[in-house]
Amino acid sequence: MNNIDAIGHVTGRSVYLDDIPMQEGTLHAVALGSDIANGKIISMDLQAAEVIPGVARIFTAEDIPGENQIGGILPDEPLFAETEVHFQGQPIALIVAKDEFTARKARNLIKVNYQEFDPVTDPRQAKERGLLLFPPRTFESGDIDNAWKRCEYIFEGRAESGAQEHLYIETQGSYAIPMENGNLKIYSSTQGPTIVQKTVAKVLGIPMHRIEVDVQRLGGAFGGKEDQATAWACMAAMASQKLNKPVKISLHRLDDMKMTGKRHPYSSDFKIGLNKDLKIIAYETTYFQNGGAAADLSPAIMERTLFHATNSYYIPNVKAAAYSCKTNLPPFTAFRGFGAPQAMFVIESAIAKAAEVLKVSASTIQEKNLLNENDEFHYGQIAKKVNAGKSWKDVVDIYKTEEQLKEIEKFNEQNQIYKKGLSLMPVCFGISFTKTPMNQARALVHIYQDGSVGISTGAIEMGQGVNTKLLQVAAKTLSINPDRIKIETTNTTRVANTSPTAASSGADLNGKALLIACNDLNERLIAGASKILKVDRESIKIKDESVFLKGEKTKLHWKQLIELVFLDRINLTAVGHYATPIIHFDKSTEKGHPFTYHVYGTAAISVKLDCIRGRYEIEKVQIAHDFGTSLNKKIDLGQIEGGVVQGIGWMTMEEIGYSKEGKLLSNSLSTYKVPDIYAAPKSIECKALDTEGPDLAIMRSKAIGEPPFMYGIGAYFALRNAIKAFNASAKIEFDAPLTPEKVLMSLYSGD
Ligand code: LUZ
Ligand code: MOS
């Protein structure tokens, strides 16, 4: 089945926030952000801006009717700065005008006087000064102190990974419309409509039921709109409520890049111990998460970092500690992988370091330590249906990596200027929100009198194809033609208390709820048909839009059935509620069974490096991935390709720079480089592992959103191998992204 949005997207007819027709009298708002990263607001002069014709009003913290607080997990983030500012771009005021141009013109005329302090941008420096966003956590297994004594080899080091801009094509935005009796309707480009509803209610000081949040689809999100769509919706809502006019905010790219949070940079220490058989006996790591100026989702992201400390490997003695460090940068936030990629980069760095000193290939150590069935993760969960070894073996067999390595060796002997490198990257990613209560969802299904079906869930379509998958689930379960089914917008009035569409779990959670609702309707229809045909229920089945009696097709067709059942006054609306079973986690011991299942896979990535210029090409990405029984191969492959390329971008070319003053240097697409079609791998191949998939995945189709991102980490280590082929003593820090500049420097480093 094709993605149901395909035609809309390529013809430009799909509706995004900016395509919603505007009501008469709509006003436009832009936010004024702090010029400085750390300081006090001494005074603010709004006068010159306020007198510009067309300016409706300028709002500041003082105008907030409810709480000036938008922190999702911890209450540490004001909507508008009051006296202190903690990052460049932190919203201070909102200018509302008849059009956007006027609002921007007015914004330029606002004068703010600051008392400036030195900003902190480095997480280790923040930790030294005691600047933590919340208390640190440590996950431990085995007996690390004694384990070191049993190690033949011990290596220590440091690994750094950088921030990453989400670069969703659709920037952040919201459109708020006043309804009767002081109620509000809010369109928002958000992954979490309920978070928006709840936070707007808090900021405006009104109950949640007065606010209806509606989302058609997003033009990309990648985690950037899990928590950080909220501020803009609060601003539009507040202005709309106060002025009793529709108010729209749609961020310009430069504002979006400057004002919103990105993937967390991490600085980490590692210590790894192996026995003489190269089994990893002990692993100790400390993560310094750069959290930015407020907690945002950092507690949950830090937690996922700790869960994924050992990636796909079994290590009996582990100690992983994490600090979330408060710096004067925009609050860092969710981004595809949610802290796991950062953890995996560290363990892969530790293995690479061990391999380098021991003069073996990293893949030798990787392979020996892959997780096996019934191994215990360091957080207490027992690994089941493990496919780490299987996916590794498939990559080696299907793509003949041994032969490829021999060819690369030959190539490297024969070429002075060009060198090639290959690396294998196994991935093991836990599926579920790590916060157990978030793993729930609801679906609302109406069968209309004409046999057509409307479906509402909490899932947000952001390009990942969740609506297509939901439609498939309903079509299969009701056994009707997909053409009869429509997926409605995501709306908090139809489906309430939703978890954000995140954690790769959108299709699983909402799909399971939908399945329950559809099964419920099936029961009622079968009961109805048995009454119409005057036979018992057991002999009836509904298949391919027809009623079957003891396996024989009857004349009773779907449309007629629905009509008759309706006339019999049977309820044709169902609500399904799903809460993931089996998962639990105890924070006091840091042990439990937090994940419903894990997604496994392995990628081989090969690169070709130009050793004169430091430039490189990603030649091939070859993956064996555990889809389970994929609901939609095209969509899942799209997620694999997009994820891998995005992961490679993070590891190689996407470099975010801040000045000493805490100002974003890479603030536009001329200075921030993401993979384009030329930088993307020349080929991406992906083979499905032959697995059935777990029952707790939607129709045994495993979660796909985030896991492929981490295959991209292989590009870093492939490049490293290519550099080493040119200069065996090259000094290459574990410092991602490995940009062409850094590659060039390291090619000619060392003895
Ligand atoms: N969001 C969240 C996530 O709130 N909790 C999670 O565990 C998570 N994991 C991945 C991506 N987003
Ligand atoms: Mo997320 S990183 O919003 O799944």
Side-chain angles (χ1 to χ4, degrees):
M1 172 150 176
N2 287 330
N3 188 320
I4 56 173
D5 279 341
I7 289 172
H9 285 1
V10 297
T11 55
R13 292 194 178 102
S14 295
V15 171
Y16 298 89
L17 188 87
D18 237 13
D19 300 314
I20 297 170
M22 269 180 291
Q23 289 193 2
E24 204 170 323
T26 292
L27 299 172
H28 297 259
V30 298
L32 169 74
S34 169
D35 277 333
I36 64 164
N38 191 16
K40 274 200 171 126
I41 300 171
I42 303 299
S43 66
M44 182 155 45
D45 184 0
L46 302 178
Q47 218 174 5
E50 273 168 342
V51 298
I52 295 221
V55 170
R57 214 173 128 183
I58 300 175
F59 295 98
T60 63
E62 288 171 18
D63 300 301
I64 292 174
E67 281 179 63
N68 183 18
Q69 185 50 249
I70 59 167
I73 299 179
L74 298 171
D76 68 350
E77 188 178 355
L79 177 63
F80 292 115
E82 289 173 16
T83 52
E84 295 173 355
V85 286
H86 296 285
F87 63 92
Q88 186 211 17
Q90 181 177 353
I92 298 177
L94 187 76
I95 302 95
V96 186
K98 69 179 191 340
D99 56 42
E100 207 183 302
F101 179 77
T102 307
R104 292 184 173 278
K105 203 162 94 179
R107 181 168 77 167
N108 290 338
L109 296 175
I110 297 177
K111 286 199 195 70
V112 186
N113 284 313
Y114 302 96
Q115 181 187 2
E116 216 169 327
F117 307 131
D118 278 343
V120 179
T121 58
D122 177 78
R124 290 185 190 250
Q125 203 178 54
K127 153 97 181 3
E128 284 307 301
R129 297 194 193 167
L131 298 169
L132 296 181
L133 287 162
F134 44 87
R137 283 169 74 180
T138 303
F139 283 24
E140 264 184 288
S141 68
D143 179 356
I144 192 89
D145 294 329
N146 277 310
W148 297 120
K149 296 176 204 146
R150 290 186 283 121
C151 295
E152 183 84 9
Y153 315 108
I154 295 175
F155 305 99
E156 290 181 69
R158 192 163 157 163
E160 316 274 342
S161 62
Q164 186 177 25
E165 164 65 42
H166 299 86
L167 218 80
Y168 24 64
I169 294 179
E170 179 193 40
T171 55
Q172 304 270 6
S174 179
Y175 184 31
I177 299 172
M179 310 298 278
E180 63 175 17
N181 301 327
N183 301 327
L184 275 167
K185 179 159 185 179
I186 300 173
Y187 297 98
S188 165
S189 181
T190 178
Q191 288 171 255
T194 293
I195 304 169
V196 166
Q197 181 192 22
K198 193 172 163 182
T199 314
V200 170
K202 187 199 261 187
V203 168
L204 297 188
I206 59 176
M208 283 170 78
H209 72 202
R210 286 185 167 272
I211 298 157
E212 173 186 354
V213 181
D214 191 88
V215 184
Q216 175 73 252
R217 66 165 62 70
L218 318 184
F222 309 110
K225 297 169 181 173
E226 184 176 339
D227 223 38
Q228 297 213 0
T230 306
W232 321 107
C234 288
M235 290 178 199
M238 180 177 105
S240 165
Q241 190 201 44
K242 292 250 172 179
L243 299 168
N244 200 27
K245 285 271 172 74
V247 175
K248 182 171 167 180
I249 299 184
S250 174
L251 265 64
H252 274 203
R253 179 66 65 187
L254 299 192
D255 280 347
D256 191 303
M257 289 180 83
K258 192 165 88 175
M259 300 173 99
T260 69
K262 310 174 192 320
R263 180 185 298 284
H264 292 76
Y266 275 57
S267 179
S268 312
D269 295 323
F270 63 78
K271 183 175 171 188
I272 189 168
L274 303 90
N275 70 12
K276 61 179 189 313
D277 298 328
L278 302 183
K279 283 266 189 199
I280 305 170
I281 303 290
Y283 178 60
E284 187 167 348
T285 178
T286 306
Y287 307 107
F288 300 92
Q289 178 195 56
N290 192 337
D296 190 274
L297 288 162
S298 297
I301 292 160
M302 189 181 93
E303 185 174 55
R304 193 174 273 279
T305 301
L306 291 165
F307 281 123
H308 291 84
T310 59
N311 188 16
S312 287
Y313 308 108
Y314 172 65
I315 306 177
N317 303 283
V318 176
K319 183 174 180 184
Y323 297 88
S324 185
C325 310
K326 184 175 180 187
T327 59
N328 296 109
L329 296 174
F332 291 98
T333 193
F335 195 146
R336 207 172 193 168
F338 207 71
Q342 290 94 324
M344 292 185 194
F345 180 67
V346 182
I347 181 81
E348 295 300 332
S349 296
I351 291 173
K353 173 133 192 190
E356 192 171 299
V357 185
L358 296 172
K359 299 203 165 27
V360 298
S361 73
S363 58
T364 309
I365 300 177
Q366 289 173 303
E367 188 180 5
K368 276 180 193 286
N369 290 282
L370 289 173
L371 204 64
N372 285 307
E373 194 70 11
N374 295 323
D375 281 344
E376 186 176 333
F377 287 102
H378 58 290
Y379 47 87
Q381 184 161 342
I382 307 296
K384 294 284 180 192
K385 297 206 169 143
V386 175
N387 288 312
K390 194 174 160 69
S391 67
W392 181 279
K393 191 169 174 302
D394 275 10
V395 164
V396 171
D397 292 348
I398 297 169
Y399 306 112
K400 305 195 166 38
T401 53
E402 296 297 329
E403 278 168 43
Q404 286 193 51
L405 280 166
K406 285 201 191 99
E407 278 165 33
I408 287 176
E409 215 171 300
K410 206 154 87 201
F411 177 92
N412 288 345
E413 275 167 25
Q414 290 169 353
N415 286 276
Q416 297 302 304
I417 295 174
Y418 288 96
K419 298 289 180 190
K420 292 191 178 188
L422 182 146
S423 151
L424 269 72
M425 179 68 200
V427 169
C428 165
F429 191 81
I431 301 303
S432 283
F433 287 97
T434 58
K435 185 174 172 187
T436 302
M438 289 174 80
N439 296 283
Q440 55 167 311
R442 276 152 299 281
L444 172 70
V445 182
H446 299 314
I447 304 177
Y448 294 95
Q449 290 170 62
D450 65 353
S452 65
V453 175
I455 291 171
S456 300
T457 73
I460 298 288
E461 175 61 53
M462 55 187 114
Q464 87 281 40
V466 70
N467 280 357
T468 304
K469 288 188 173 178
L470 292 173
L471 195 144
Q472 287 180 274
V473 168
K476 283 189 189 190
T477 311
L478 297 172
S479 200
I480 58 173
N481 193 321
D483 295 348
R484 290 196 191 276
I485 306 172
K486 177 185 171 213
I487 308 289
E488 306 287 354
T489 63
T490 313
N491 184 296
T492 54
T493 302
R494 269 179 271 120
V495 176
N497 306 322
T498 58
S499 285
T501 299
S504 306
S505 67
D508 273 5
L509 296 175
N510 294 283
K512 288 275 187 182
L514 177 58
L515 196 78
I516 290 166
C518 290
N519 279 333
D520 192 0
L521 286 165
N522 270 340
E523 293 290 314
R524 293 183 215 164
L525 294 178
I526 287 171
S530 80
K531 214 166 142 193
I532 296 163
L533 298 172
K534 303 195 173 58
V535 294
D536 57 18
R537 290 183 192 201
E538 285 65 41
S539 47
I540 289 192
K541 270 213 162 61
I542 300 169
K543 224 184 99 200
D544 301 335
E545 308 216 326
S546 287
V547 177
F548 284 71
L549 178 59
K550 297 194 172 124
E552 292 290 315
K553 191 166 169 174
T554 68
K555 288 212 174 102
L556 195 51
H557 187 260
W558 174 263
K559 268 189 80 134
Q560 273 172 308
L561 173 68
I562 299 303
E563 254 175 54
L564 293 173
V565 163
F566 169 71
L567 292 175
D568 200 25
R569 296 184 292 178
I570 287 170
N571 179 6
L572 289 174
T573 290
V575 175
H577 167 80
Y578 179 71
T580 313
I582 74 169
I583 51 172
H584 56 89
F585 193 71
D586 180 354
K587 275 192 176 183
S588 68
T589 57
E590 306 286 28
K591 299 280 182 199
H593 188 108
F595 299 118
T596 316
Y597 58 88
H598 288 82
V599 171
Y600 295 91
T602 300
I605 301 193
S606 45
V607 301
K608 183 173 160 193
L609 177 59
D610 172 342
C611 299
I612 303 275
R613 298 173 185 84
R615 297 197 312 211
Y616 45 78
E617 285 179 351
I618 313 292
E619 291 204 300
K620 276 185 284 191
V621 178
Q622 298 170 312
I623 300 166
H625 185 84
D626 176 18
F627 295 92
T629 308
S630 174
L631 254 177
N632 193 312
K633 228 27 204 299
K634 285 187 208 168
I635 283 174
D636 284 355
L637 280 172
Q639 288 297 299
I640 296 260
E641 291 181 4
V644 165
V645 175
Q646 199 169 38
I648 292 174
W650 174 54
M651 279 282 109
T652 62
M653 60 197 296
E654 297 184 40
E655 189 171 38
I656 292 204
Y658 296 99
S659 70
K660 280 200 311 297
E661 293 78 32
K663 296 192 180 179
L664 182 66
L665 298 172
S666 47
N667 64 352
S668 73
L669 292 178
S670 61
T671 49
Y672 185 73
K673 296 295 183 192
V674 293
D676 58 11
I677 192 65
Y678 303 104
K682 298 285 159 287
S683 82
I684 301 176
E685 294 168 81
C686 182
K687 288 268 161 37
L689 291 191
D690 179 22
T691 58
E692 188 186 28
D695 188 40
L696 291 176
I698 182 64
M699 298 190 144
R700 299 189 180 274
S701 181
K702 293 180 91 166
I704 191 73
E706 295 170 289
F709 180 89
M710 286 149 280
Y711 292 140
I713 295 171
Y716 178 94
F717 293 94
L719 276 172
R720 211 167 186 280
N721 291 342
I723 297 170
K724 291 279 177 185
F726 179 80
N727 172 3
S729 65
K731 270 191 58 141
I732 320 163
E733 309 288 337
F734 297 107
D735 184 7
L738 192 44
T739 57
E741 290 86 348
K742 281 193 214 158
V743 168
L744 190 63
M745 302 287 270
S746 58
L747 278 166
Y748 301 96
S749 66
D751 327 323

